Amino acid sequence: MNEFVEQFLLESRELVAQATDDLMALEGTPEDRERLDGAFRAFHTLKGAAGIVEFAAMGRTLHAAEDVLATLRSSGEPIASNVLDECLACLDLTSRWLDAMQVSGETPAAADADADDMIARLVGSMDVDEKNKSASLPENGDWLDRLRVAAGSSFAAAVTAVRFVPDSEAFFKGDDPFSIIASLPQLLTVNLALTDQALSLETMNPFSCSLEILALTREPIAAIQNALRAFAERTEVRQLAPPPDLAGDKYDLAQATSLIAAQIVLLREGGTEGLLGRIESAGRTVANALLYLGRDGSATDVEKAVTNAQALEKVEPLVAVIERVLEVGTRPTHPTTTTPLQVAAPRALRVDMDRIDALVKLTGELLVVKNAIGYVAKRLHDNEDPGTVASTLRDQHALFDRLATELQSAVLSVGFFRCVRSFAGFQGWFGK
């Protein structure tokens, strides 16, 4: 089996496991944006990997799933159970394809037909979700205006507005509409109306629920959607204002402070090896953390200190600025819309020992060539016959060329998915 296919299978299984873990977590907390983003990234990388090994059916299927997740990310809505089921089914199909490739070393013969079926299911899951929402909830376009008038001054303090139209048989199903709305966090006001204005005490059925319940809350929309998930088809939720700025939250503040302090440790250890790279990495991490917290001015100071430290090839200028930032504190001074560069989380890569041994062997041979070239330079300095020296230099160059080619192949086999991520990034850039 081709070594790239082997690496593809190994790391594809890890990405399938990662995506499955994120999707299963979303089953319990459908509003978890971090888990949704994690699942999206795993599908995106898997799609790119399929393109690298020319597995078109797998690429098409994962692209369809990626589109579904991208739609959910942009809408801000929690993932519906039927959509979640189809995304998990897509991963199950991917696992079966990987198992078949493990046995035969080739893509499964029926993959295209299976892909067409899976893509139709994924697209259909979104259609069904939209139809359920529109068919189950009676329209009332002016409900938000009516709630604005009824709420008065409370409307200005609201973050999320809710319209809940209980099932007419809610009482027989054991549902208490008032209790459901009363349980919403940070509830501000509730407004009640009849779904049919023509109803009267004489014509009303006391055993049928004919209420439309409107409410305002200070809670962000994702939390409200999660609280009403069981009644999603009977609920309309709208965000009225951005959720409160969480940058100053104790958890985020402690996390940012710890991250910034860790960069001082990074800078002070390791001696001069990789010094400029460590300065760049630590400076960017600190600047991103400060941008996230709204400390734009401090972030600028850090960036200047990075330039100064690199010019002097010393960590002290940057360390001094970071320590000053920690002394002042990292609490945000104002909201910011700046989107910092993502700080990459530590990642591990499983690699066969044979590949590591090959890299070690190649490194040793390259050191030998390096020393030989230095010796050739010395012979030239000693005025040895140029023809003899040129012949030796050609031999060493040929050896170096061979080793460089082997090293490139070995590194690609180890970092296969790093290449995939770059490839997937280019795909995303060009909108493919």
Side-chain angles (χ1 to χ4, degrees), residues 79-133:
I79 187 168
S81 57
N82 62 305
V83 177
L84 183 63
D85 290 342
E86 296 305 339
C87 287
L88 287 169
C90 178
L91 291 174
D92 182 60
L93 175 60
T94 302
S95 293
R96 295 201 303 273
W97 281 338
L98 296 175
D99 290 340
M101 287 186 70
Q102 187 74 51
V103 174
S104 66
E106 299 178 354
T107 57
D112 284 319
D114 291 338
D116 292 339
D117 178 63
M118 190 70 252
I119 291 170
R121 290 171 57 182
L122 286 163
V123 173
S125 70
M126 295 296 285
D127 292 340
V128 168
D129 190 42
E130 291 302 317
K131 288 177 182 177
N132 286 341
K133 288 180 181 178

Side-chain angles (χ1 to χ4, degrees), residues 16-262:
V16 167
Q18 174 193 326
T20 301
D21 182 59
D22 285 329
L23 291 176
M24 294 300 290
L26 283 168
E27 189 171 24
T29 54
E31 80 290 350
D32 191 333
R33 309 308 298 175
E34 185 175 346
R35 286 289 195 173
L36 181 60
D37 290 344
F40 174 83
R41 286 193 296 270
F43 274 95
H44 185 68
T45 305
L46 276 168
K47 179 192 74 174
I52 291 290
V53 297
E54 299 182 350
F55 192 168
M58 178 175 166
R60 289 192 297 114
T61 307
L62 292 166
H63 186 71
E66 181 189 9
D67 284 345
V68 168
L69 295 176
T71 300
L72 291 171
R73 292 174 82 206
S74 61
S75 70
E77 296 182 0
I79 187 168
S81 57
N82 62 305
V83 177
L84 183 63
D85 290 342
E86 296 305 339
C87 287
L88 287 169
C90 178
L91 291 174
D92 182 60
L93 175 60
T94 302
S95 293
R96 295 201 303 273
W97 281 338
L98 296 175
D99 290 340
M101 287 186 70
Q102 187 74 51
V103 174
S104 66
E106 299 178 354
T107 57
D112 284 319
D114 291 338
D116 292 339
D117 178 63
M118 190 70 252
I119 291 170
R121 290 171 57 182
L122 286 163
V123 173
S125 70
M126 295 296 285
D127 292 340
V128 168
D129 190 42
E130 291 302 317
K131 288 177 182 177
N132 286 341
K133 288 180 181 178
S134 60
S136 302
L137 189 64
E139 291 188 6
N140 186 347
D142 64 350
W143 70 270
L144 195 57
D145 292 333
R146 179 158 51 85
L147 181 58
R148 181 182 288 106
V149 173
S153 59
S154 297
F155 194 89
V159 172
T160 304
V162 179
R163 177 180 176 235
F164 177 38
V165 183
D167 191 293
S168 60
E169 298 184 356
F171 304 141
F172 294 101
K173 294 180 177 180
D175 295 331
D176 181 351
F178 296 110
S179 178
I180 292 167
I181 292 298
S183 67
L184 294 180
Q186 301 198 59
L187 193 63
L188 286 172
T189 185
V190 175
N191 179 265
L192 304 178
L194 293 171
T195 54
D196 185 354
Q197 298 299 320
L199 287 176
S200 65
L201 289 175
E202 292 76 17
T203 60
M204 185 181 296
N205 180 356
F207 299 104
S208 176
C209 183
S210 304
L211 287 175
E212 176 187 60
I213 306 176
L214 308 181
L216 293 173
T217 172
R218 289 192 181 94
E219 195 73 9
I221 187 171
I224 299 302
Q225 288 172 326
N226 184 46
L228 295 172
R229 185 188 182 200
F231 307 95
E233 73 280 4
R234 311 292 306 177
T235 305
E236 185 176 353
V237 184
R238 294 190 189 179
Q239 181 171 303
L240 303 178
D245 184 17
L246 299 180
D249 182 85
K250 289 183 179 179
Y251 174 78
D252 286 339
L253 179 60
Q255 189 178 47
T257 302
S258 176
L259 180 65
I260 291 171

Side-chain angles (χ1 to χ4, degrees), residues 260 264 267-268 283 286-287 290 295 297-306 308-309 315-329:
I260 291 171
I264 296 178
L267 288 167
R268 284 177 169 164
V286 174
L290 292 170
R295 296 287 302 278
S298 296
T300 301
D301 292 341
V302 169
E303 290 169 354
K304 292 178 180 177
V306 168
N308 188 23
V315 301
E316 283 74 15
L318 180 55
V319 169
V321 172
I322 295 175
E323 288 178 340
R324 188 161 62 248
V325 166
L326 291 173
E327 288 174 5
V328 173

Side-chain angles (χ1 to χ4, degrees), residues 312-352:
L312 297 174
E313 296 188 6
K314 294 181 179 180
V315 301
E316 283 74 15
L318 180 55
V319 169
V321 172
I322 295 175
E323 288 178 340
R324 188 161 62 248
V325 166
L326 291 173
E327 288 174 5
V328 173
T330 52
R331 186 169 296 280
T333 56
H334 63 276
T336 179
T337 56
T338 303
T339 303
L341 295 174
Q342 295 295 319
V343 179
R347 290 177 292 184
L349 182 65
R350 287 170 49 194
V351 182
D352 291 342

